[in-house]
Amino acid sequence: MSEPDQRLLHSWRAGRARHPASVDDYANLCRAALALYEATAGGDFLTQARDWVRILDQHYWDLAEGGYFFAARDTEGLVAHPKTAADSAVPAGNGTLVGVLSRLAILTGEEAYRRRAEAILETFSGEMGRNFFPLATLLNNIELLAKPLQIVLVGENGAAPFDALRRAVYDVSLPNRVVISVPPGGSLPSDNPASGKGLVDGKPTAYVCEGPVCSLPINEPQTLLETLARVR
């Protein structure tokens, strides 16, 4: 549930929403919104994730030392104000947000998201040297930040040939995959390795990009599957 100012609440019982949401709540909902955005190209999902990150930056970010507090700075009645990257029953918010911010940097071309992800890593870098076992989410998302696999799909969303290419992307397990859908005639951020690439022979086209290098254009789902299998 959301308050009038669009901030989330943590629990719902007997018709009543209570308690400000934690950083874990926001982080994992952001991750879900971005997963839906990549799978559907629905712009509302991207907007929602960005709005939630804005709330986190405003109310949860540790202005003095970096990283996100577990609870908002204006949460009342706290005995302590913890900040952690260690996973518990759910993935840690700070670890999850490294991945969320990395994806937002790629999807929007805004470097501020990448800088915030790097600031989280700087904040918790000492923890990795002391005990890395509870930091699986953080470590996995460090890999995403350092080496994302960008799969750019150019074509008309909802058209059968384009959807067939998208389905092929999800037939291979690729944890560091970031799916970017571009309509015909659309553009990507100038620093994206697939910037300037488009349809080939008027057909929906995929580009698989590792670092600054992209594959040759791919029109067929089977060829895309084979390419992704080799990358994997």
Side-chain angles (χ1 to χ4, degrees):
M1 295 297 291
S2 178
E3 295 180 318
D5 63 358
Q6 302 305 306
R7 292 174 68 179
L8 297 173
L9 297 174
H10 178 71
S11 62
W12 172 272
R13 181 177 180 276
R16 183 183 177 192
R18 300 181 64 192
H19 310 303
S22 70
V23 68
D24 294 356
D25 297 328
Y26 277 103
N28 290 297
L29 282 171
C30 284
R31 179 67 191 94
L34 291 181
L36 289 169
Y37 173 69
E38 292 181 49
T40 67
D44 289 347
F45 295 122
L46 179 63
T47 299
Q48 182 63 84
R50 297 185 71 173
D51 287 345
W52 281 331
V53 168
R54 176 184 51 79
I55 290 172
L56 285 168
D57 288 344
Q58 182 177 354
H59 297 285
Y60 292 74
W61 184 254
D62 184 346
L63 298 172
E65 299 181 5
Y68 292 98
F69 288 116
F70 181 76
R73 289 192 299 273
D74 58 358
T75 302
E76 298 179 354
L78 295 178
V79 176
H81 209 186
K83 179 180 65 180
T84 182
D87 296 331
S88 56
V90 298
N94 277 290
T96 300
L97 283 165
V98 170
V100 165
L101 294 163
S102 301
R103 290 177 185 276
L104 282 172
I106 292 169
L107 294 169
T108 68
E110 296 181 18
E111 275 299 303
Y113 290 122
R114 179 177 297 277
R115 291 194 296 271
R116 181 51 56 95
E118 291 170 346
I120 295 173
L121 297 184
E122 183 177 352
T123 299
F124 295 103
S125 59
E127 297 296 319
M128 287 180 273
R130 285 188 286 272
N131 181 15
F132 62 84
F133 288 105
L135 304 177
T137 300
L138 180 67
L139 292 170
N140 286 337
N141 284 308
I142 289 173
E143 185 179 8
L144 171 62
L145 176 63
K147 193 178 180 182
L149 178 69
Q150 299 187 52
I151 304 172
V152 178
L153 304 175
V154 184
E156 192 67 44
N157 191 39
F162 179 84
D163 289 348
L165 281 178
R166 179 185 281 153
R167 283 196 298 274
V169 172
Y170 287 95
D171 282 344
V172 182
S173 176
L174 297 163
N176 289 345
R177 169 189 59 211
V178 180
V179 182
I180 307 172
S181 299
V182 184
S187 60
L188 289 166
S190 60
D191 62 348
N192 189 287
S195 179
K197 300 183 185 296
L199 300 175
V200 173
D201 298 330
K203 299 177 181 178
T205 306
Y207 300 89
V208 179
C209 304
E210 296 182 90
V213 179
C214 293
S215 69
L216 294 173
I218 301 168
N219 294 124
E220 298 299 328
Q222 184 59 39
T223 305
L224 179 56
L225 271 172
E226 292 168 359
T227 301
L228 294 175
R230 286 195 297 271
V231 170
R232 182 169 181 262

